Amino acid sequence: MVGELTMNGWKMLLARLSGRSGSFYRKSLIMFLFVAGIPGIITGVLVYSMAGGKLEKELLKLHNNQIEQRSQNLNKQLSNLEMMLAHWAFDTSFDYSLGERDFVRDFEKTRDITNTLLVMQGSNTMIRNVSLYLRGSQPVLFYPEYSALHDASVIKLYDQLLDAGKTTYWTQLTLDPDQPGKRELTFVHLVPGGSQKPIGALIVRLDSDQVAEALQTITPYADGENFLTEPSSHLFVSANGSSIDSTFVKAVRSEVESNVNKEGSFLYEWNDKTYAVTYGYFARIMDNWLYVSASPITNITAPVVFISKVILTVSLSALLLAIGLAWLASIRMYLPVKRLMKDLLPSASLSGGGREDEFTLIERQWQHLSRESRELNAKWLEQLPHVKESFLHQLLQGYLYAYTEEDLRSRMERYKWQVCGKQFVVLYVQLTGIASMEGKFKFGDEGLVTFASVNMIEELADSYFEQSSTINFHDLGSGVLLILPEGEPCTETIKSFCEKLAQTVNRLLNMVVTVAISRATGRVSDIPLAFEGVKHAASFRKFDNDNQIIEMEQLNFEDSSEPQYPFTLEREFLQALRTGQEADANALLVEFQNALSVQEAKAIDVQQGMLHLLGSVQHAILVSGIQPNRLFKGANLYEQLSQIKEPAGAREWFQVKVIAPFMKELTTRTDGQVKRLIEHAMIYMQQNYMHDISLDNCADHIGTNPFFLSKSFKQVTGKNFIDYLTELRMEKAKELLRESEMKINTVAEQVGYRHSYFNRIFKKLEGMTPTRYRELSRAD
């Protein structure tokens, strides 16, 4: 069919295969078909012409060699059988002493003979039975068990074995009178071995099935004929159970005997079939046996025929496969071009007769897309600052911790940062003093102030550094990432920048500037840690209203110069809260914050002091029977207070978020007269705590009864009378222990206790002795 295709037919086939592809694809497909098809055809013809005849000859030769080898194996088995029987025939167990022995009385000898015959019988799988015949006045047969023979016909059969005129020979006589037609291949050896006057014979009967199976192994094919015969006698064994009178056996045997060669092979025609006949001779005792194997040649040459058909089929299939693979390969190789055409020119048609191929169209469209790409890139560059700011914000806050150093550097380079051979320094800029701006800004304008400061930072940084980026945190704080040349000193430049920034912010915004500077690092992944460090370092700024530049390398986090916590003002503030004196509480709050903000105080100390005061207030509220969560509606007061950097802002927050709600709640719980009564009692206790005070004399002093005083005191303050007195005395005692050199017994007398009782109750309440408390406070 391939030879009949005309050029127009090929074009029609290619057009059908190529579908709606362009001229480039059609040219490529023709080239693929030519390259893949022609070598396959040439290879198939050469293989078929060269392999067929040679393979047939080799198979016939291999068949003959196999038969010769397998026939030799059978010959070896028969030779081993003859040697075994000859060995036992000359054994002393079978001498003349057996002639007139009484085997009935001499049962031990009888048993030995039987065991010996059983051993001989089991020595070869082809042996069916080994027996011993002894001729005498009373013939005896071991089969292999002992038995005396009385049947004359049976005795006559066995006597023939001794009268054959041979001492050892093969026979196929019928020895079983009950089965006259059963002929078994039998090997006979007269005993004693080599004797001129034998007294008996060892008889080995072979299993016909085993012999046939051994003959069957000579040829590997089920059809045909395998037989073994002795030309001078009627001894004949067939693997397929054929008789010696079989027509095919006679014909093959006659053809073999007429051949002058002692062994060989030839082809023989029989009933329109060709047989491959292989023959040879076995050298047996005193004779030669002929073995013949005749197999239909179709069995032998079937692989050749099959392989020839396979070769032809494979050649044709290879041609078709080559065409199919060429088509698939061309489609596969053309697929990127087709996909590119579909993406670039989805509406273009490839099946027409246009002069332009696909690559010309692709080139034109690619130029158009390149122009659009440049326009989009310009727009991307406009949005790049916002993308960089978002990335930098995530980096500083530690959200990119899962990225490797290589990934972070790759992303920064993608966003147009130059990070190769660079080191990184992080700055944290904190503005304070919004309360002193004289009406320009007020609390709530922190975002606007921060935006203005960030613009100043970016403008100044561009004049000092090649690469810098600023992040606006909208809470009077901002972060700056400086990317500087690696290995070059940069400390003085950064300080100069910070001083210039502080002066600019002071002049334009009237704000105080604190700048924390991190150590230089060469790893992008260390930037979040550096930012966390400078943010923490900014909280160590001095609380006075001056610009400050804090360097991480020079910052001492273990500086022990801490302001004393104003416990007395805290106690007075809490008392004012408990008694509902809001004005006094607000005034004491200002005094408390001023006490924290002494000379050399740090922002973190002031912030921690305010947070400690908040904790004491919440404890006092809880003791008074009010739940802080309900009072403050679940708000996280600690987080809110920690975010406030301005002292005035912290005070305003305290007044609005803490004092006012508590005073409102307290007003609803107690009236003013009871509060004043309890206030007089508390004043009396504060003035006379060093004396012997009891509930009765305090009630007498303020003009009420002890029961009412106890109940009202608990209601207003949230504490029992005696608990409040004990707490008051303990606070005064701790103050004396910290700030004076009085002896312990003197301190006990000053707060109204005996020395022994004072030690016991102090240890119970504080968990340590007064002496130990004084030692720890002095150490701090």
Side-chain angles (χ1 to χ4, degrees):
M1 178 180 178
V2 175
E4 297 176 357
L5 287 175
T6 62
M7 184 59 67
N8 292 332
W10 274 106
K11 290 182 178 179
M12 293 175 62
L13 177 61
L14 293 176
R16 188 171 299 175
L17 291 175
S18 60
R20 295 180 58 81
S21 300
S23 59
F24 175 78
Y25 174 73
R26 287 192 290 271
K27 296 176 183 178
S28 300
L29 180 57
I30 293 173
M31 182 186 66
F32 272 112
L33 290 177
F34 179 79
V35 172
I38 299 303
I41 296 175
I42 296 174
T43 303
V45 172
L46 291 177
V47 170
Y48 180 75
S49 61
M50 296 175 62
K54 185 176 181 181
L55 185 59
E56 182 176 355
K57 295 178 182 178
E58 290 298 328
L59 283 176
L60 286 173
K61 183 178 179 181
L62 179 61
H63 169 74
N64 294 332
N65 291 337
Q66 286 183 340
I67 292 177
E68 290 177 2
Q69 291 176 0
R70 295 179 181 183
S71 63
Q72 291 301 321
N73 291 335
L74 179 59
N75 185 27
K76 288 180 181 179
Q77 293 186 47
L78 295 176
S79 298
N80 291 336
L81 188 61
E82 292 172 351
M83 293 180 63
M84 180 200 70
L85 192 60
H87 168 76
W88 284 105
F90 284 92
D91 192 89
T92 56
S93 299
F94 304 104
D95 56 11
Y96 284 107
S97 63
L98 300 178
E100 299 298 333
R101 186 180 293 271
D102 186 354
F103 290 102
V104 176
R105 292 184 179 182
D106 194 359
F107 65 89
E108 291 185 357
K109 184 63 175 180
T110 303
R111 184 182 60 189
D112 291 341
I113 293 175
T114 299
N115 291 338
T116 302
L117 296 178
L118 289 173
V119 171
M120 295 170 63
Q121 182 175 312
S123 62
N124 195 302
T125 58
M126 296 177 63
I127 298 176
R128 186 181 67 82
N129 178 266
V130 179
S131 58
L132 172 65
Y133 172 72
L134 297 175
R135 183 168 60 179
S137 57
Q138 174 58 56
V140 174
L141 178 65
F142 287 87
Y143 191 78
E145 291 84 5
Y146 165 78
S147 64
L149 297 179
H150 300 286
D151 190 340
S153 61
V154 176
I155 295 174
K156 183 179 178 180
L157 288 174
Y158 280 100
D159 284 344
Q160 292 178 7
L161 300 177
L162 276 72
D163 298 334
K166 301 176 182 179
T167 60
T168 176
Y169 59 93
W170 288 89
T171 184
Q172 212 171 14
L173 296 176
T174 301
L175 297 177
D176 192 349
D178 296 332
Q179 297 179 344
K182 185 176 182 180
R183 296 166 59 85
E184 297 177 321
L185 188 61
T186 305
F187 184 60
V188 181
H189 202 299
L190 304 184
V191 293
S195 173
Q196 297 297 323
K197 296 180 179 181
I199 61 173
L202 281 172
I203 306 164
V204 177
R205 295 177 175 86
L206 301 187
D207 191 328
S208 300
D209 294 336
Q210 292 292 330
V211 175
E213 184 176 343
L215 278 173
Q216 187 65 46
T217 60
I218 292 179
T219 178
Y221 310 108
D223 298 337
E225 183 63 61
N226 297 329
F227 62 86
L228 188 66
T229 182
E230 186 178 3
S232 61
S233 67
H234 291 283
L235 189 146
F236 177 81
V237 180
S238 173
N240 298 333
S242 302
S243 66
I244 194 173
D245 298 327
S246 171
T247 306
F248 180 70
V249 172
K250 285 184 178 181
V252 173
R253 184 174 179 180
S254 175
E255 186 71 23
V256 170
E257 290 176 350
S258 66
N259 202 322
V260 296
N261 295 325
K262 295 298 183 180
E263 60 181 19
S265 62
F266 58 88
L267 299 179
Y268 182 68
E269 296 289 337
W270 177 263
N271 291 341
D272 298 328
K273 281 187 177 182
T274 302
Y275 289 84
V277 180
T278 303
Y279 67 95
Y281 287 89
F282 291 159
R284 297 270 61 81
I285 296 177
M286 302 178 67
D287 207 344
N288 287 324
W289 288 8
L290 173 67
Y291 72 88
V292 179
S293 173
S295 301
I297 195 171
T298 53
N299 291 343
I300 302 173
T301 59
V304 178
V305 176
F306 174 74
I307 291 175
S308 299
K309 293 179 179 179
V310 168
I311 292 174
L312 182 58
T313 304
V314 168
S315 299
L316 294 176
S317 300
L319 176 60
L320 296 176
L321 181 62
I323 295 174
L325 290 177
W327 178 48
L328 293 176
S330 61
I331 292 177
R332 185 66 179 174
M333 295 186 65
Y334 185 73
L335 189 61
V337 179
K338 189 174 182 179
R339 188 166 58 245
L340 190 58
M341 286 291 296
K342 184 178 180 181
D343 293 339
L344 294 178
L345 296 166
S347 59
S349 176
L350 299 177
S351 58
R355 299 179 180 178
E356 295 181 333
D357 62 14
E358 293 88 328
F359 285 100
T360 302
L361 298 175
I362 290 174
E363 182 181 5
R364 184 184 302 124
Q365 184 66 10
W366 181 258
Q367 292 174 353
H368 171 68
L369 293 178
S370 296
R371 288 193 298 271
E372 291 187 350
S373 176
R374 288 191 292 271
E375 294 175 0
L376 291 175
N377 188 56
K379 295 180 180 179
W380 155 253
L381 292 176
E382 293 177 2
Q383 298 297 323
L384 184 60
H386 304 289
V387 178
K388 293 175 66 175
E389 182 180 0
S390 176
F391 171 79
L392 186 57
H393 186 275
Q394 295 181 60
L395 177 64
L396 293 180
Q397 297 295 340
Y399 298 145
L400 305 180
Y401 65 91
Y403 286 81
T404 63
E405 177 71 16
E406 292 74 14
D407 293 337
L408 292 174
R409 285 181 174 271
S410 176
R411 291 191 63 178
M412 292 188 71
E413 290 176 352
R414 194 184 314 154
Y415 295 145
K416 309 302 181 183
W417 275 302
Q418 300 296 327
V419 296
C420 184
K422 304 293 183 179
Q423 59 181 344
F424 309 96
V425 176
V426 180
L427 309 181
Y428 181 74
V429 181
Q430 177 67 52
L431 304 184
T432 55
I434 195 172
S436 61
M437 297 186 66
E438 300 177 356
K440 275 189 177 183
F441 299 101
K442 59 182 182 297
F443 291 113
D445 295 336
E446 288 86 352
L448 183 60
V449 176
T450 310
F451 176 76
S453 67
V454 166
N455 288 335
M456 298 178 188
I457 294 172
E458 290 178 342
E459 185 176 348
L460 283 174
D462 289 341
S463 62
Y464 275 85
F465 311 104
E466 293 183 1
Q467 296 186 79
S468 64
S469 297
T470 307
I471 294 296
N472 186 348
F473 295 119
H474 306 283
D475 61 349
L476 300 180
S478 56
V480 183
L481 176 64
L482 303 179
I483 304 178
L484 308 169
E486 188 175 13
E488 294 185 9
C490 56
T491 305
E492 296 301 326
T493 305
I494 295 175
K495 282 186 177 180
S496 176
F497 163 74
C498 295
E499 292 172 356
K500 183 64 175 180
L501 173 63
Q503 295 172 7
T504 304
V505 173
N506 294 157
R507 185 178 71 257
L508 298 179
L509 297 181
N510 196 25
M511 297 280 287
V512 178
V513 180
T514 300
V515 183
I517 307 172
S518 75
R519 299 180 179 89
T521 177
R523 292 172 53 85
V524 178
S525 55
D526 291 338
I527 291 177
L529 298 177
F531 175 72
E532 188 67 26
V534 295
K535 193 173 180 181
H536 179 63
S539 63
F540 281 80
R541 64 181 177 86
K542 296 180 181 179
F543 204 73
D544 50 14
N545 203 25
D546 291 326
N547 298 325
Q548 299 176 51
I549 299 176
I550 302 174
E551 297 183 63
M552 291 289 294
E553 296 181 350
Q554 300 178 1
L555 183 63
N556 183 12
F557 289 98
E558 299 181 356
D559 187 6
S560 60
S561 59
E562 302 176 356
Q564 291 292 327
Y565 185 80
F567 290 98
T568 302
L569 290 175
E570 178 195 86
R571 187 166 57 250
E572 294 176 358
F573 175 72
L574 295 177
Q575 180 180 340
L577 284 180
R578 294 191 190 103
T579 56
Q581 301 178 33
E582 184 173 1
D584 292 344
N586 289 331
L588 288 170
L589 178 63
V590 174
E591 293 184 25
F592 179 86
Q593 192 179 54
N594 292 335
L596 291 175
S597 307
V598 295
Q599 186 70 20
E600 301 297 327
K602 298 181 178 62
I604 190 172
D605 299 329
V606 178
Q607 186 183 56
Q608 293 297 326
M610 296 298 290
L611 290 172
H612 187 277
L613 178 62
L614 177 60
S616 300
V617 170
Q618 291 210 19
H619 179 264
I621 293 173
L622 186 63
V623 169
S624 66
I626 302 174
Q627 287 295 331
N629 287 336
R630 180 185 62 80
L631 179 63
F632 302 119
K633 299 180 181 180
N636 190 342
L637 301 182
Y638 290 100
E639 182 179 0
Q640 294 181 11
L641 180 58
S642 62
Q643 298 299 323
I644 300 175
K645 304 297 189 298
E646 294 285 343
R651 290 196 304 272
E652 181 179 344
W653 178 89
F654 230 106
Q655 293 167 356
V656 175
K657 297 293 185 179
V658 179
I659 298 176
F662 179 68
M663 290 300 168
K664 183 178 180 181
E665 179 71 16
L666 195 63
T667 302
T668 61
R669 292 170 61 91
T670 58
D671 54 31
Q673 183 178 0
V674 174
K675 289 193 293 183
R676 286 193 296 273
L677 185 67
I678 299 306
E679 181 181 359
H680 292 325
M682 294 173 67
I683 294 173
Y684 174 77
M685 296 168 70
Q686 292 173 9
Q687 294 175 350
N688 298 280
Y689 65 89
M690 69 290 297
H691 304 301
D692 187 14
I693 299 178
S694 65
L695 183 64
D696 292 335
N697 58 35
C698 184
D700 291 339
H701 177 77
I702 63 176
T704 186
N705 61 77
F707 176 80
F708 180 80
L709 174 61
S710 177
K711 180 180 179 181
S712 301
F713 198 96
K714 174 68 174 178
Q715 182 180 6
V716 173
T717 65
K719 297 182 180 180
N720 294 326
F721 177 87
I722 191 63
D723 291 340
Y724 180 81
L725 178 61
T726 302
E727 180 181 338
L728 182 63
R729 287 173 169 173
M730 286 297 104
E731 290 296 326
K732 185 62 178 176
K734 289 191 288 184
E735 182 178 345
L736 292 175
L737 289 171
R738 290 194 307 268
E739 299 177 1
S740 71
E741 299 296 330
M742 293 182 182
K743 295 182 179 179
I744 303 301
N745 57 355
T746 306
V747 172
E749 293 174 358
Q750 289 292 323
V751 297
Y753 287 118
R754 292 190 300 276
H755 179 251
S756 59
Y757 181 76
F758 172 72
N759 285 340
R760 187 165 62 253
I761 194 170
F762 190 97
K763 185 175 183 180
K764 177 181 178 182
L765 296 177
E766 301 299 327
M768 63 184 75
T769 63
T771 304
R772 182 58 177 167
Y773 178 85
R774 170 174 281 175
E775 292 173 354
L776 292 177
S777 63
R778 297 292 174 82
D780 291 339

